[in-house]
Amino acid sequence: MNLDRNWFSSALKIKGSVIPTIRSRVLWCGAFGLFVSVLSFYKIPVAAKALGGIIPSIVLGLLLVFRTNTAYERFWEGRKAWGSIVNHIRNLSRLIWVAIAELNPIHRHEKEQSLKLLVAFAFATKLHLRSQSIDERVSKLVSPLQFSKLMTVKNPPLEIAFWISDFLQAKQEQGQISLYQMNELQGLLNSLVDNLGACERILRTPMPMAYAIHLKQLLLIYCLLLPFQVVEELRWWTAPAVVLVSFILFGIEAIGVEIENPFGTDPNDLPLDMICNTIDQNIDDLISIETHYRRAGAYGNNLDEQLN
C-alpha cells in the first residue's frame, strides 16, 4: 500500500518535473486545437488527415530518443567523473596521511592543510563548473594569501592542484616520502585533474545548435498540424488530445535539455553540494580519527598500553 502511495505521490509531483517548463507551450497548442475545433463546428473545412504524412511519428520519435539518450549520456558521464573525484580524493588523503612521515607537530599541521586543500579542490571544482566565484566555504579551507590568489585566477581548482603537487614535491625533497610514493601520489593527483577536464569538456561541448533548433521546429510543426488531422473524428475532444500529445513530446525534449548540463542547481542536476559536503565530512573524520590515534601513541608513547 505504501508503495502505491509513493508511486502516485511521485506521479503527481510538480517540483522536479518538466511541467513548469513546458506548461505554456502545451497550453498554447491546446488553445490552437480548440480554435480548430471551433472552425470545424462552424462547418469550415479544416480537416486534413493527409497532413499526418508530412512528419512521420516514427521519425520524430527517433529524433527525441536520440536527443534524450545523448543528454543522459552526458549526465551519466558527469556523474562518473564526480564519483572518480570522490574516490581519488579519498585515496590521496589516505596515502598522504599514512605515507608522509611526521617528524614534528609542524609536519602534522602541514598534512592537515594539504587534506583541506583536497576538500577545497572539490568545492572549487563545483563553483568553477557553475561559473560561480570562490565563496566563503573555500576561504575556510585555505590561507588568506591562497584565497586572494584563487579570486584572481580563471581556473581555481587547477591552481589548488598545483599547490598540492608542490607540497608533495617538497616532502619528497625533504625525505619524508620516497620517490615511489611521490610518483603514486602524483598519479592520483593527475587523475583528479583529468576528471576536472572531463567535466569541463561536458560543460563546454553542448548539443549542436542546429540539431536542437531543428528538433524544436519539428516538434512545433507536428503539434500545430495535429489538430487538423484529428478534428474530424474527435470534434471537441481535439484540444485535450493535442494537450496530451504535446505534453508527451515537449516533456521528452525538455528532459533532454534539463539533464544536458548536469552541473547546475536545478532539481534534476547532480547533487554536487551533497557530494562536496560528503568529501568534507570524510576528511574531517580521517583527521579526527587519526588525531585520537596519534595522541594515544605518537611521539614516544606506548601505543599498546594506551589501547589496552
Side-chain angles (χ1 to χ4, degrees), residues 108-142:
R108 174 182 178 77
H109 175 72
E110 292 174 347
K111 286 166 61 173
E112 289 182 359
Q113 291 304 116
S114 69
L115 264 59
K116 290 181 180 179
L117 283 179
L118 289 173
V119 181
F121 177 89
F123 279 96
T125 299
K126 177 193 70 174
L127 296 171
H128 176 63
L129 295 175
R130 292 177 175 176
S131 300
Q132 297 175 347
S133 301
I134 297 299
D135 60 11
E136 185 179 308
R137 186 67 188 83
V138 178
S139 69
K140 297 178 180 179
L141 298 167
V142 299

Side-chain angles (χ1 to χ4, degrees), residues 210-229:
Y211 181 88
I213 292 175
H214 189 64
L215 179 58
K216 295 179 188 297
Q217 292 171 341
L218 290 180
L219 283 172
L220 183 60
I221 293 172
Y222 184 87
C223 291
L224 292 179
L225 293 181
L226 183 60
F228 300 102
Q229 303 171 39

Side-chain angles (χ1 to χ4, degrees), residues 291-307:
T291 298
H292 176 75
Y293 172 84
R294 290 180 182 270
R295 282 178 180 174
Y299 308 127
N301 292 330
N302 190 321
L303 179 59
D304 292 331
E305 291 180 1
Q306 296 292 339
L307 292 176

